[in-house]
Amino acid sequence: MKLYRPKLQRILLYFSLIFISTTGRIYAQKKPNIIVFLVDDMGWQDTSLPFWTQKTPLNERYHTPNMERLAKDGVKFTNAYATPVCTPSRVSMITGMNAAHHKVTNWTSPQLNVSSDNADEQFAAASWNYTGLSPKAGIPNTIYATPYPQLLKDAGYFTVHVGKAHWASVGTPGASPYNLGFIVNVAGHAAGHPQSYFAQDYYGNKPGKNTMQSVPDLEEYYGSDTFLTEALTLEAIKVLDGPIKNKQPFYLNMAHYAVHDPLQADPRFYQKYVDKGLDPQEAKYASLLEGMDKSLGDIMDYLKAKDVAQNTIIIFMSDNGGLSLTPTRGGLPHTQNLPLKAGKGSINEGGIREPMLVKWPGVVKAATTANQYVIIEDFFPTVLEMAGIKQYKTIQELDGKSIVPILKNVNYTDNERTLYWHTPNKWIPNDGPGINYKSAIRKGDWKLIYNMRDGTKDLYHLKTDIGELKNLALGNPEKVKELSTLLAAQLRKWKAPMPIVKSTGKPVAMPDQTDQ
């Protein structure tokens, strides 16, 4: 029987699709693409998009139109949290573990077997995992865990990391994104910040001047005018061409080095902020933010041009609060995140509350706001649920909870959930607000901070006091006791590292062991 050509073509196409789908190369968009757009050191207020109930002078200062655009297409989280510094957040994100549990409680030095803790007169260092994350057992001073990019890869995703990695020290498996489940890695290594954002400096790679912070992999742009943020964006777009052409679902971990110091001016945007009257440091910072925002817009435009935007989830997040130390920032110290208290390194809201947005076409209602509090270890189960991966095994016990119920109903509320933060480390030489040797718990609108130095506790009601200005501990002894008991029990369960009191040789007291 003679077949007409159109019918023959349809039959051939049918069998070719069966063959390709069974080999795992084409999924016909049954699985969504997923992008986590992770910014470094961006504060809750570092955007023209307000995450509070009102716009503030800081929101008026910055220009992030693509964050505004993303918010119009998705949901804005007003109570999203990370940890006070970068590596703990990044490890929590891809392991689903709280920092007190995985014990990477401070940033990891690129150098092997070197702790980033500063020396202290009162305390000897806690026994924390200062070498970071490891996908392989038996590596000293690491947390051995299953990263979710590996599970995505195993399920057929094309997994890509672009930008800052900073999961582990050199000389360990966790230093390389390739060992954590990524098929492609661009510019990710052990360092936590760039030596230079400028292509004229080879991003820090000039012979005789390079350091461990030199950004790898971008030789194509050396000597050009391509700012680091732009180079990373161009490389990400190049890599995505492959899986999109093959109709293979992709996961992109778009992890910018911006806006981490060194504060260097993005020349595309710097002058406009000088003209607005910002001092040079703050103008540089604002230019880094707008460059990051342009990257977000460029990627969104690319997805639309490739006709995959409607099948791509975008999750926008920062790894910790905005830097508020002066120097490096301009102005008065710890004012850069107002009304939030303090900034990066602090367990106060300025150090841990983050701008978070999620676009999920067909699932998330556009232009909505979610006020339920969430935390960065929630990304692990959330991303896997988004990808439709239900049966998976992990080495570690997960602490995060999927936020998919919130994405499907932004009015979802769980005031009984408890969130925990633990920094038994000395991040900078001098203590500051919420900085060095603190633990904290949030349950509902109440937040308790435990000060390890003297055993005192601060109690705040965040709904009525977002700036943590009024300590309510003395007037609410039962609430202090309740939260102290919960915090101590969880730290014990996780065997959280505690600093050692030099005068006694014993670990510092737990929150339920002090009456103050």
Side-chain angles (χ1 to χ4, degrees):
M1 176 179 171
K2 185 176 180 181
L3 292 172
Y4 289 102
R5 185 172 297 275
K7 187 174 182 181
L8 176 62
Q9 288 176 337
R10 287 197 300 271
I11 292 171
L12 291 174
L13 176 62
Y14 173 76
F15 282 109
S16 66
L17 286 175
I18 290 176
F19 172 75
I20 294 172
S21 64
T22 56
T23 60
R25 290 199 54 214
I26 287 187
Y27 290 81
Q29 301 302 329
K30 290 180 181 178
K31 292 177 180 284
N33 306 311
I34 304 170
I35 297 174
V36 172
F37 193 98
L38 187 65
V39 191
D40 196 13
D41 288 5
M42 180 185 179
W44 187 70
Q45 286 279 72
D46 293 344
T47 170
S48 53
L49 175 69
F51 282 78
W52 197 23
T53 54
Q54 62 196 69
K55 225 172 185 185
T56 69
L58 285 173
N59 299 139
E60 299 288 353
R61 171 187 292 186
Y62 302 119
H63 186 222
T64 56
N66 294 297
M67 286 185 66
E68 296 180 39
R69 174 181 160 196
L70 186 60
K72 288 178 182 177
D73 291 339
V75 59
K76 176 174 67 175
F77 282 80
T78 62
N79 281 274
Y81 289 100
T83 74
V85 292
C86 50
T87 311
S89 285
R90 290 162 191 268
V91 174
S92 288
M93 186 181 108
I94 69 167
T95 67
M97 303 174 74
N98 186 272
H101 192 182
H102 62 60
K103 302 175 180 60
V104 186
T105 50
N106 200 0
W107 61 277
T108 55
S109 170
Q111 300 178 65
L112 184 62
N113 296 326
V114 174
S115 171
S116 52
D117 279 18
N118 289 274
D120 187 72
E121 292 184 2
Q122 182 181 0
F123 295 134
S127 181
W128 65 287
N129 283 328
Y130 56 81
T131 303
L133 168 65
S134 177
K136 181 181 177 181
I139 307 299
N141 309 116
T142 66
I143 178 65
Y144 172 42
T146 304
Y148 75 69
Q150 183 64 55
L151 299 175
L152 289 171
K153 178 183 175 183
D154 293 344
Y157 271 78
F158 190 86
T159 50
V160 181
H161 173 82
V162 176
K164 174 176 170 175
H166 203 200
W167 285 298
S169 302
V170 295
T172 70
S176 172
Y178 290 114
N179 294 327
L180 302 179
F182 290 101
I183 296 171
V184 174
N185 168 46
V186 178
H189 62 148
H193 65 83
Q195 185 177 328
S196 174
Y197 284 93
F198 298 125
Q200 296 91 335
D201 296 334
Y202 300 178
Y203 309 116
N205 287 286
K206 282 198 170 181
K209 296 183 178 180
N210 60 312
T211 69
M212 297 188 83
Q213 280 72 37
S214 302
V215 180
D217 297 336
L218 302 173
E219 292 89 345
E220 174 185 344
Y221 304 96
Y222 287 3
S224 71
D225 294 326
T226 312
F227 202 71
L228 177 59
T229 308
E230 178 79 355
L232 295 174
T233 307
L234 293 171
E235 289 302 297
I237 287 172
K238 283 182 191 176
V239 174
L240 293 186
D241 274 343
I244 290 175
K245 182 179 180 181
N246 293 332
K247 293 185 169 57
Q248 182 178 0
F250 65 79
Y251 171 75
L252 170 63
N253 200 56
M254 187 69 209
H256 275 294
Y257 284 95
V259 294
H260 199 295
D261 67 328
L263 299 190
Q264 295 177 328
D266 188 327
R268 299 171 294 175
F269 310 106
Y270 175 68
Q271 191 59 44
K272 68 183 282 187
Y273 292 104
V274 173
D275 294 344
K276 286 177 70 171
L278 272 65
D279 71 49
Q281 287 300 94
E282 291 304 285
K284 291 174 185 176
Y285 189 80
S287 76
L288 286 170
L289 283 165
E290 189 163 349
M292 170 280 302
D293 184 80
K294 179 182 181 298
S295 170
L296 176 65
D298 289 347
I299 290 173
M300 289 175 13
D301 290 343
Y302 168 80
L303 296 171
K304 185 176 180 181
K306 291 292 184 178
D307 199 27
V308 296
Q310 287 305 109
N311 194 43
T312 302
I313 299 166
I314 301 176
I315 307 172
F316 181 102
M317 186 61 164
S318 174
D319 66 345
N320 51 250
L323 184 66
S324 64
L325 301 178
T326 55
T328 303
R329 293 293 297 273
L332 298 174
H334 305 304
T335 61
Q336 292 78 3
N337 299 299
L338 292 174
L340 302 187
K341 190 173 185 177
K344 178 180 179 178
S346 173
I347 217 154
N348 287 113
E349 294 292 291
I352 56 177
R353 193 181 288 219
E354 314 303 334
M356 179 176 167
L357 301 163
V358 180
K359 176 186 176 183
W360 189 356
V363 176
V364 168
K365 188 176 179 181
T368 53
T369 299
N371 296 314
Q372 173 61 39
Y373 47 89
V374 297
I375 194 165
I376 199 162
E377 53 257 35
D378 295 340
F379 279 43
F380 188 111
T382 300
V383 168
L384 293 178
E385 184 171 349
M386 287 172 163
I389 302 172
K390 298 177 181 179
Q391 301 295 327
Y392 56 88
K393 293 182 180 180
T394 62
I395 299 159
Q396 71 277 20
E397 179 183 350
L398 302 186
D399 304 313
K401 294 177 63 176
S402 173
I403 66 168
V404 170
I406 306 171
L407 296 174
K408 292 181 177 179
N409 174 17
V410 295
N411 296 315
Y412 177 97
T413 303
D414 179 7
N415 286 321
E416 292 302 307
R417 188 181 184 191
T418 50
L419 303 184
Y420 303 93
W421 296 268
H422 187 57
T423 56
N425 308 84
K426 192 170 186 179
W427 176 58
I428 55 175
N430 298 317
D431 293 354
I435 296 172
N436 297 338
Y437 304 114
K438 311 285 184 183
S439 295
I441 178 174
R442 175 173 179 175
K443 182 180 180 184
D445 292 321
W446 291 99
K447 178 181 174 184
L448 179 101
I449 296 177
Y450 175 56
N451 308 294
M452 298 181 202
R453 287 225 185 265
D454 57 11
T456 58
K457 295 154 192 173
D458 302 327
L459 181 69
Y460 301 108
H461 189 264
L462 296 177
K463 188 172 184 179
T464 57
D465 181 23
I466 197 171
E468 298 170 292
L469 300 175
K470 189 174 181 181
N471 183 1
L472 302 174
L474 287 177
N476 295 273
E478 290 304 312
K479 181 60 68 173
V480 170
K481 183 178 180 180
E482 173 198 346
L483 296 179
S484 296
T485 301
L486 288 171
L487 176 57
Q490 196 63 61
L491 293 178
R492 288 190 182 99
K493 178 181 177 182
W494 286 333
K495 299 179 181 179
M498 301 296 286
I500 304 300
V501 181
K502 286 184 175 180
S503 62
T504 65
K506 296 180 180 179
V508 72
M510 284 287 183
D512 61 351
Q513 294 175 323
T514 67
D515 296 326
Q516 299 184 58

